[in-house]
Amino acid sequence: ANFLGKKHSLTSFSLVEASVNKENKTLLSDALTTNKTIQKIRLRANALQLPAIIRNTKKVRTALSRVTHLDISFNTFPIQGAKVMSKFLEEPGCKLVSLIMSNNHFTTKGANALLPALKKNTSLQSLDMSCNWLNDKCAPVVIDMLQNNSTLLSFDLSKNKSLRASYLEEGQRSRWQYDEDEESGSRWKYVATDGGRAMIVKNALFDLTSLERLAECNHTCALKMSGRNLGNTHEETIRKINALEVSEAKKIRHKVVFALNVVKRDLYESCNFKELPLEMMPYLLEMLQQRLPPSDFPRRLKQRGDTTTLSRLYDAVNTWQTLPLLFARGPGKRQKKMAKKNSESRKRRKFGDEEDEDDDAWIPKGARKTGKYKQNPESGKWEYIPPPVY
């Protein structure tokens, strides 16, 4: 601790698998507070009760706001520690970019106390809360955080066994049910109740309520939960879309194409186009016809045999009252009018007039210009008949 307090040239500090008791924890906190250069701290498997070095005082929180990377995994993180960490993340001068909190026995109550602070934080880009004790009850606070945060790029919630994709209600035996009354589409319906993971995806990352809600979702955070598309969550596909190094507009474009052509075909209902500006219709048609290259889009996005056509969209908007206005306005390009050449009509010269240079070029309308072969009925031979002379 004395060494850390005096050595002002260090930029990182790592202490792995070394037990730290209560007294040494205080000394370590004081040393890291005194040091002004350390920006990366790694306290891994130290039998610490977190947040350990970040004590609940204004002085300590302000001094440690310079830290950019903090790894405090394989310790314990009670709810009181979550409240202290929440205040630390809400500090105006907080520069923390990466926070690793895996394997900390972190509970849903702790998540409910910590995650709301990220709505105000604008520096954190990577958060790891994997291998903890989170369950489906943490879904609402995760959804609220993702809807109000645009700077978090990576969020790991994997290996939280109680955070489920779906579950069966009492009395249900299967997640799929056969519907005999279904006339169009597949008769097998997914009837399982959405779990926490499905709720997070459908409400924060891939909301299919309408096209407008889909565009308003979070398109910056690559949320990792199971690494697979379980049930009807499409969580891994949405994670790969959000992880693309492209503009946010292109990510929205990918999600719209994916939603219209693969996931939810009833987005073609005409009621979804009532509030859509008329000027946006050509762009929507272009998106539906778009072929996504495999180089910048997740593999196996399109199902086998699924083709992108405009027939369903046409059926949906055919009854739209303002649709004819789209075509009444024309193609939107100015066409230059060409002046017609005043060509004098040629007249056939009368008998006795002087010859004209264009006499040979004059041919009556519908006249034969080339010769033809015709079979002689008497001899049976084919004879060439030249074109008539006018």
Side-chain angles (χ1 to χ4, degrees):
N2 293 332
F3 173 78
L4 290 176
K6 296 179 181 179
K7 195 67 175 179
H8 295 288
S9 60
L10 293 177
T11 58
S12 63
F13 173 73
S14 179
L15 186 64
V16 180
E17 296 183 357
S19 299
V20 179
N21 56 27
K22 186 176 181 180
E23 181 180 355
N24 291 332
K25 182 179 71 172
T26 304
L27 294 175
L28 182 62
S29 177
D30 293 338
L32 293 175
T33 303
T34 304
N35 189 290
K36 304 297 183 182
T37 59
I38 294 180
Q39 297 180 349
K40 299 180 180 180
I41 300 176
R42 187 185 185 193
L43 300 175
R44 186 181 177 92
N46 304 122
L48 288 171
Q49 191 173 17
L50 301 173
I53 59 172
I54 305 176
R55 289 180 290 177
N56 192 18
T57 61
K58 182 70 174 178
K59 179 181 178 181
V60 175
R61 293 198 303 267
T62 304
L64 293 180
S65 61
R66 69 178 185 278
V67 177
T68 58
H69 296 77
L70 180 61
D71 183 355
I72 48 178
S73 55
F74 289 92
N75 292 288
T76 57
F77 211 129
I79 186 172
Q80 294 298 329
K83 293 180 179 179
V84 176
M85 180 62 73
S86 175
K87 293 181 181 180
F88 174 72
L89 293 173
E90 289 180 344
E91 287 289 328
C94 181
K95 299 179 181 179
L96 193 63
V97 176
S98 174
L99 176 60
I100 302 177
M101 301 169 49
S102 60
N103 292 277
N104 280 333
H105 308 294
F106 196 54
T107 63
T108 299
K109 291 183 179 180
N112 292 336
L114 175 63
L115 292 179
L118 296 182
K119 295 191 294 183
K120 299 180 180 179
N121 183 281
T122 57
S123 63
L124 192 65
Q125 298 181 7
S126 177
L127 176 60
D128 186 353
M129 295 174 60
S130 60
C131 303
N132 283 300
W133 294 353
L134 303 180
N135 56 30
D136 294 337
K137 294 182 179 180
C138 73
V141 69
V142 174
I143 294 171
D144 184 43
M145 184 273 293
L146 291 175
Q147 290 176 343
N148 295 277
N149 184 291
S150 59
T151 57
L152 188 64
L153 303 179
S154 175
F155 189 13
D156 193 348
L157 286 175
S158 61
K159 297 183 180 180
N160 286 278
K161 295 183 179 180
S162 298
L163 188 60
R164 301 168 293 181
S166 61
Y167 61 93
L168 297 177
E169 296 286 354
E170 185 177 355
Q172 289 182 330
R173 296 182 178 181
S174 175
R175 300 177 186 273
W176 295 88
Q177 184 177 354
Y178 186 76
D179 188 3
E180 297 181 354
D181 299 331
E182 180 65 30
E183 297 180 356
S184 61
S186 176
R187 294 189 175 184
W188 286 98
K189 303 299 180 183
Y190 193 77
V191 296
T193 305
D194 290 339
R197 297 209 304 267
M199 293 172 59
I200 293 172
V201 174
K202 293 181 180 181
N203 291 279
L205 304 175
F206 195 51
D207 190 350
L208 298 182
T209 306
S210 64
L211 293 175
E212 290 78 13
R213 291 294 300 273
L214 181 60
E216 294 173 357
C217 289
N218 185 301
H219 308 289
T220 57
C221 181
L223 178 60
K224 181 180 179 181
M225 291 186 283
S226 67
R228 295 176 293 171
N229 291 323
L230 297 177
N232 59 349
T233 61
H234 307 285
E235 56 187 82
E236 182 62 13
T237 301
I238 300 304
R239 184 194 69 81
K240 291 180 179 180
I241 293 177
N242 281 9
L244 293 175
E245 295 182 357
V246 296
S247 63
E248 184 173 341
K250 193 168 185 179
K251 294 179 183 179
I252 297 175
R253 187 186 185 99
H254 290 337
K255 288 185 180 181
V256 170
V257 174
F258 183 64
L260 290 176
N261 297 289
V262 179
V263 180
K264 190 175 182 182
R265 301 184 185 276
D266 56 359
L267 275 177
Y268 286 95
E269 293 179 357
S270 58
C271 62
N272 292 303
F273 300 91
K274 290 181 179 179
E275 303 298 331
L276 194 66
L278 193 61
E279 291 78 7
M280 293 297 295
M281 286 300 298
Y283 298 101
L284 180 59
L285 299 179
E286 180 187 355
M287 285 191 293
L288 295 177
Q289 289 295 80
Q290 181 188 29
R291 293 296 188 271
L292 301 176
S295 59
D296 64 344
F297 202 76
R299 297 177 59 186
R300 299 180 181 178
L301 174 65
K302 294 182 68 61
Q303 299 176 356
R304 180 176 295 181
D306 185 31
T307 57
T308 307
T309 62
L310 296 178
S311 59
R312 286 171 288 149
L313 178 64
Y314 175 78
D315 295 337
V317 300
N318 190 29
T319 57
W320 192 15
Q321 296 181 357
T322 57
L323 183 63
L325 296 177
L326 179 66
F327 304 97
R329 296 174 59 181
K333 296 182 179 180
R334 294 183 178 179
Q335 298 180 354
K336 185 177 180 180
K337 295 183 178 180
M338 302 296 294
K340 295 183 179 180
K341 296 182 179 180
N342 296 327
S343 58
E344 297 181 357
S345 59
R346 296 176 179 175
K347 298 182 180 179
R348 187 176 182 179
R349 66 184 180 90
K350 296 180 180 180
F351 179 78
D353 291 347
E354 296 181 356
E355 295 184 356
D356 190 6
E357 296 179 356
D358 296 333
D359 283 349
D360 295 339
W362 185 87
I363 298 176
K365 185 178 180 181
R368 184 163 55 87
K369 301 179 182 180
T370 58
K372 65 178 181 178
Y373 285 89
K374 188 175 181 180
Q375 190 177 16
N376 191 333
E378 296 179 359
S379 62
K381 297 181 179 180
W382 291 90
E383 299 177 354
Y384 177 75
I385 301 176
V389 179
Y390 297 96

